[in-house]
Amino acid sequence: MKTKAVRLYGRNDLRLETFELPAIRENEILAKVVCDSICMSSYKATHEADTHKRVPRDIARNPVIIGHEFAGELIEVGSRWKDTFKAGDKFSIQPALNDPNGPVGILSAPGYSYPCIGGDATHVVIPNEVMENGCLLPYTGDGFYPASLSEPLSCVIGAMHANYHTTPGSYTHRMEIRDGGNMAILAGVGPMGLAAVNYAIHRTDRKPQLLVVTDIDQSRLDRARTLYTPEAAAANGIRLQYVNTGITDNPVEELKALTQGKGYDDVFVFAPVAAIVEQADALLAFDGCLNFFAGPSRADFKAPFNFYNVHYAYTHVVGTSGGNTADMKEALAMMSRGLDPAGLVTHVGGINTVIDTTMNLPSIPGGKKLIYTHIDMPLTPVAEFGLKGKDNPLYAGLHSICEAHHGLWNVEAETYLLSFSNSKIQ
């Protein structure tokens, strides 16, 4: 079967090509990709190319398909897996295989390391190690984009599971955020921050009693407040507050005042900015845990940390990068029960936009850029469907559907767009 895919050949060298996939072996699966969510990690891999830890060194001769937040449908299942999967199953993939036998060893991942599987493609061959490591994950919910976004949601799930607190007088660490504690998500209204807010306010097993979300962009804060409202959080017993730290002389003092001076049990940093790390450190309560979530692009990134408090106030720091398979299964289960990640999506486009979008991702405002791989379509903000709909009935239809869903991308809009599959949309 032929596939159309975006392949990485070298630093800043992405090419959209059509080529023949090899016939599947008995332990492989042929699949159709429906959509892929473009991640900043793809931008980093593109700019680092064969010096990136997950990318093979021979990509100039054996290019890899990019994109690792994808979902689709199985087409043909090799005999080795016929008792586990069947044609027609919807799927998502946990890209962190942790398989030492992959193309670059333990760090091998679809979307970075493989010539025949990645999210920015129409069709892929799923290799045996994906199934062997339990990383081909069924999705039974509506639509496809929620399954595509299960990977980024799993990253924030993993972050919250990775936090820990101590037990005075012992060496026992209790994993997880503090139930009923104070939580702050700093620089928290970008795509991943919003995923964290969405998850935190919808958890039923544990939750903070206070959740404070900060940023310095009021328009982004206002959008976040409309997506994840204080009223919705209150229905789950959480006091949710959005704070613009760019308009106050002393952000730490203002944020600590919301806790009556106690500070925060769990602080998450969603931007690799030294000043924000310093602010997070200053906000920690006794036994507070700082989670440095944002991945810096500089290998020498550093920030001051108060080691007096490490010694006497038991403060500590963790860092997480990605979630594991259990986190992704949790994300898919929550979505199958109705958790909608649509608030993350601000742009929709076709496979023809992948190269420009990936190469320039940091400079494109908004949240997640969702790609439908069987369509050629300009990368279009959901908020501009109405404007483009004045001259194009497709966009007019998408605008009408999204307006009925509070201006958000949704399964009905996806279904409508997919009816134009294999089309070129202007």
Side-chain angles (χ1 to χ4, degrees):
M1 176 176 283
K2 287 189 182 298
T3 187
K4 180 187 284 188
V6 176
R7 297 199 283 184
L8 178 64
Y9 281 82
R11 186 166 295 177
N12 301 325
D13 186 359
L14 291 174
R15 306 178 197 177
L16 177 60
E17 301 174 315
T18 299
F19 58 95
E20 193 77 30
L21 290 170
I24 65 167
R25 293 177 291 187
E26 74 282 352
N27 60 357
E28 296 176 329
I29 295 177
L30 179 67
K32 172 184 176 181
V33 176
V34 174
C35 58
D36 176 63
S37 170
I38 296 182
C39 177
M40 186 64 74
S41 296
S42 292
Y43 166 83
K44 294 175 184 176
T46 298
H47 285 263
E48 295 177 22
D50 56 359
T51 64
H52 191 283
K53 296 294 187 183
R54 293 188 183 275
V55 176
R57 300 296 172 257
D58 64 346
I59 54 172
R61 298 186 306 277
N62 297 298
V64 293
I65 302 175
I66 66 165
H68 61 276
E69 299 178 359
F70 59 105
E73 188 174 84
L74 305 184
I75 296 176
E76 182 183 352
V77 179
S79 58
R80 165 72 175 79
W81 297 104
K82 281 189 178 295
D83 291 338
T84 310
F85 303 100
K86 65 181 186 302
D89 285 349
K90 292 197 292 186
F91 73 90
S92 185
I93 284 178
Q94 162 59 269
L97 306 180
N98 296 318
D99 189 327
N101 298 313
V104 293
I106 199 74
L107 292 177
S108 299
Y112 299 90
S113 318
Y114 289 87
C116 293
I117 182 172
D120 293 314
T122 56
H123 298 86
V124 297
V125 174
I126 305 175
N128 181 62
E129 53 260 46
V130 173
M131 286 74 77
E132 286 284 2
N133 288 285
C135 293
L136 179 59
L137 305 177
Y139 172 64
T140 58
D142 294 333
F144 289 92
Y145 77 86
S148 177
L149 293 171
S150 64
E151 197 280 335
L153 181 58
S154 77
C155 296
V156 300
I157 290 174
M160 293 198 190
H161 292 338
N163 268 31
Y164 72 90
H165 298 280
T166 63
T167 303
S170 82
Y171 300 109
T172 301
H173 290 174
R174 290 169 285 111
M175 302 304 297
E176 264 285 6
I177 63 169
R178 189 180 298 282
D179 194 22
N182 299 325
M183 179 190 293
I185 299 176
L186 307 185
V189 293
M192 297 307 293
L194 291 177
V197 175
N198 192 12
Y199 175 66
I201 67 174
H202 286 101
R203 288 186 73 175
T204 56
D205 58 329
R206 63 175 54 229
K207 58 201 172 190
Q209 62 87 22
L210 170 68
L211 173 58
V212 176
V213 183
T214 76
D215 205 83
I216 58 173
D217 187 323
Q218 191 59 49
S219 63
R220 280 159 48 109
L221 283 162
D222 291 341
R223 178 175 183 267
R225 186 181 286 106
T226 63
L227 296 175
Y228 308 113
T229 67
E231 292 76 17
N236 196 26
I238 300 170
R239 179 162 61 99
L240 171 61
Q241 294 193 224
Y242 293 94
V243 177
N244 186 335
T245 53
I247 58 174
T248 179
D249 292 333
N250 193 327
V252 170
E253 185 177 280
E254 179 177 334
L255 294 173
K256 288 192 81 168
L258 298 174
T259 69
Q260 290 75 50
K262 175 188 174 185
Y264 293 82
D265 303 290
D266 298 281
V267 181
F268 293 84
V269 175
F270 274 81
V273 177
I276 298 178
V277 176
E278 249 188 295
Q279 185 183 103
D281 178 26
L283 290 171
L284 291 172
F286 182 86
D287 192 34
C289 185
L290 188 161
N291 188 304
F292 183 64
F293 182 90
S297 56
R298 287 180 18 232
D300 62 347
F301 178 84
K302 298 175 183 177
F305 201 76
N306 188 325
F307 280 88
Y308 181 92
N309 287 339
V310 170
H311 189 84
Y312 289 107
Y314 290 32
T315 59
H316 44 275
V317 61
V318 299
T320 53
S321 176
N324 61 27
T325 303
D327 300 325
M328 199 158 168
K329 287 179 178 178
E330 183 179 346
L332 289 165
M334 291 184 75
M335 290 174 181
S336 295
R337 295 193 299 267
L339 179 74
D340 192 346
L344 300 179
V345 179
T346 58
H347 295 65
V348 176
I351 195 170
N352 57 304
T353 70
V354 169
I355 294 176
D356 285 345
T357 302
T358 303
M359 295 279 287
N360 300 290
L361 193 58
S363 63
I364 305 174
K368 280 291 185 181
K369 284 70 184 176
L370 187 63
I371 301 299
Y372 287 91
T373 62
H374 291 261
I375 292 173
D376 281 358
M377 173 185 174
L379 186 71
T380 307
V382 175
E384 294 182 10
F385 286 161
L387 180 64
K388 296 197 72 168
K390 293 178 180 178
D391 303 312
N392 187 314
L394 167 67
Y395 290 107
L398 288 173
H399 173 67
S400 176
I401 295 169
C402 290
E403 282 298 289
H405 291 80
H406 309 290
L408 299 178
W409 191 243
N410 56 87
V411 171
E412 185 182 352
E414 177 181 83
T415 302
Y416 179 72
L417 180 62
L418 289 176
S419 69
F420 293 82
S421 184
N422 298 313
S423 298
K424 186 173 183 179
I425 298 166
Q426 300 298 324

